[in-house]
Amino acid sequence: MIRFWNRRFRTGILTENPEFDKEMQTIRKEMKDLVKKRFAGSLAIRMVDSGSCNACEAECNALSNPYYDLERLGIYFVASPRHADVMLLSGVMTFNMTPHVLDAYKQMPEPKWVISLGACPVMEAPFEQTFAIKGPATAHLPIAYHIPGCPPEPIEIIRGLLAFLKGI
Amino acid sequence: MRLIARYAKECEAHFEIITVWDTKIEKESVPKHDPRIKTLTKQHPAAIWFERKMHDDYGIIIEDAFDNRPLVHQEYFPSAIHPMQKAFQAKSITPSDYKPYKYETIGGDGVFEVAVGPIHAGIIEPGHFQFSQAGEDILHQEVRHFYKYRAIEKMLEGKTLQAAKPIIERISGNESIAYQIAWRDIVLQATRSELPEQSRKYHALLLELERMIHHLTDLGFIPNDAGFGAALAFASKLSEEARRQLQRLTGHRFGFGAIDFESHTMQTEVWLHYLETLEEELALFEAWIIDIPSLWDRFDTTGILKAKKAKKYDTVGIIARASGLTLDRRDEPFYQTHGFVLQTESSGDVAARYKMRLKEARNTLTMLRNFTVETSEAITLHTLQDGEYFSFVESAIGELFMSVEIKDGVIERFFVRDPSFVNWQALHLMMPDNIIADFPLINKSCDLSYAGNDL
């Protein structure tokens, strides 16, 4: 254990790593202010996967690693749609999943927004229309903002969330 | 004999049922007007999903099956449609009336059911688990998937191998390189081409790096599900760094588009330096995590899969090896000369699967060093020849099987069996004698793919 703490103190805070440029700092500051103003300090996101390849989920999980640490900006992922302000939708809308996605959306309290994540929900991924895919998410849900990428990198997701916050 | 896959294919006048065993491939023809086959489930319980899928896809009747419920087609799916038949070409279907799905449950006084999913509490893929509970104790669990069913097999029909690649590499994001290597082997077979040693090493390096990322992520998430968050912070740092290396090498954090027949150069100095730091960090992580008794209290004897059961259910990959089976597609001369050593554990519990990941991460590190090459060579492929081709790859989860039939230069039938497809069917065996609160831990210790399973 002593070796662990030794390493812990030697490593310091990774999020200050020089490879993260100034822009990240500004984003952080701006975002903190916006989250504070519009959502009383915290923005709750419910991530819903309606048929992705799991890369978008892996990138959202990466948002909580020490390099990005999204939660310190007051943005966090919640376990229930009833606790959420925003639904983050990834993956193509599959025939089997669509009723459940709509259910989850219904369960969210007003005011609520949907952000689509990655190329799949807007049908820009290589996946083609088949009988098992129910077209772009815009046909089923009011999409407030789209974060492009296949998958979007964690830094792009943070930037996207910031742009969304600026827009509402 | 180990069952690898069982699937159907439509020919002119009949359906062909192909059963892939570890030692041979069996083919059986059934007439289209009355397609009936006998089930294999008595000897190989894991055949049931293959057979139920066959019924959904082609309408083939499994005569003596104990389970006739639809697998892929869920509550709103029109029952008369068998979409893998060549005659079915519709691009959309109208939802039918709601047909309830009858879950496997256990009855009795005070026994109740817990339904979990398809949307889970966390950043995870969708799937459903139905538990029969006696208080906190799990009596039985049924895994129900295919919420992410995108009809990839149908989508790829009529495409060339090149056009199919962007879709194949996105079937399961965490196993993208493995899928691409399975695709590569099929292209090489179909064009009668040989891959030079250097390129083979480069591709194997990328596959091992993908495995490393997968294992590092799990080394963090498994303790996290036992309430030990510090491990997640440590391991997610390591996996992020490994992912950045993959991005540096391939230009993509998941390696989409990484496997091709072009020439690539590596900056070996930066790479070898990275491996050195990783080795040091991994050793520190291991020495630290192995010495936390309260964590191993949760891991030991939780979610046991006995070797006998693991064999009976034809499991593959980490799960099979943690139960003592010596199954690994890398157990061949090419990998062995580059440092591969087959790793196994015997206890089959969460602890065994965790230790497997630690051991394999260490072994993968050795191979990452040995696979380092300055440049890989570009090759020109010969002309494509029609035929039926099979390939096997050991992905981070387990053995991946892909089969492609090419007719007139395009894909006639595409079939892939993700390791998760068989392993999911063994998950319920780990549940009895455990409490429901340990389910997330057991599930995470297996870390199976939903996307690769559902297709």
Side-chain angles (χ1 to χ4, degrees), chain B residues 111-317:
Chain B
V111 176
F112 60 95
E113 287 172 47
V114 177
V116 180
I119 300 177
H120 299 289
I123 309 173
I124 335 175
E125 303 177 80
H128 187 98
F129 306 104
Q130 189 88 1
F131 296 90
S132 290
Q133 293 285 131
E136 282 199 80
D137 295 325
I138 304 172
L139 295 180
H140 181 67
Q141 177 217 31
E142 182 183 354
V143 177
R144 188 192 179 203
H145 281 327
F146 304 95
Y147 288 90
K148 308 183 88 172
Y149 174 56
R150 295 158 285 180
I152 285 184
E153 288 162 275
K154 187 84 180 177
M155 201 188 290
L156 293 178
E157 285 179 4
K159 287 194 189 319
T160 60
L161 281 171
Q162 284 302 335
K165 179 155 185 271
I167 296 174
I168 293 174
E169 67 196 21
R170 284 171 178 80
I171 289 175
S172 172
N174 281 333
E175 297 168 277
S176 180
I177 305 270
Y179 272 84
Q180 291 178 60
I181 288 184
W183 168 88
R184 175 203 74 182
D185 287 348
I186 282 177
V187 174
L188 290 172
Q189 287 174 45
T191 57
R192 284 27 175 202
S193 309
E194 278 280 338
L195 199 65
E197 171 92 1
Q198 296 296 314
S199 302
R200 234 186 131 189
K201 279 173 80 171
Y202 180 70
H203 292 172
L205 177 130
L206 294 179
L207 181 61
E208 290 310 306
L209 183 55
E210 181 179 76
R211 190 184 322 278
M212 184 59 103
I213 296 171
H214 203 268
H215 284 351
L216 288 173
T217 309
D218 288 337
L219 287 175
F221 271 108
I222 297 169
N224 190 54
D225 275 350
F228 191 63
L232 178 62
F234 198 146
S236 66
K237 167 188 171 284
L238 298 183
S239 71
E240 173 71 19
E241 284 161 0
R243 203 173 277 301
R244 287 178 183 188
Q245 287 298 322
L246 186 60
Q247 183 177 32
R248 200 178 60 76
L249 291 173
T250 68
H252 193 281
R253 281 167 61 91
F254 291 80
F256 291 176
I259 305 292
D260 54 21
F261 305 103
E262 307 298 319
S263 162
H264 297 276
T265 36
M266 278 176 73
Q267 286 171 290
T268 44
E269 210 169 295
V270 188
W271 170 248
L272 291 172
H273 176 72
Y274 162 71
L275 290 182
E276 243 168 67
T277 51
L278 177 62
E279 184 170 24
E280 193 196 327
E281 300 254 349
L282 203 59
L284 179 77
F285 179 82
E286 197 175 338
W288 168 61
I289 201 92
I290 220 87
D291 201 24
I292 293 168
S294 59
L295 186 66
W296 291 91
D297 258 3
R298 285 290 301 277
F299 285 1
D300 287 328
T301 69
T302 302
I304 296 175
L305 178 68
K306 294 215 171 78
K308 217 174 134 194
K309 286 277 168 104
K311 194 163 183 200
K312 187 166 185 195
Y313 275 74
D314 300 297
T315 55
V316 292

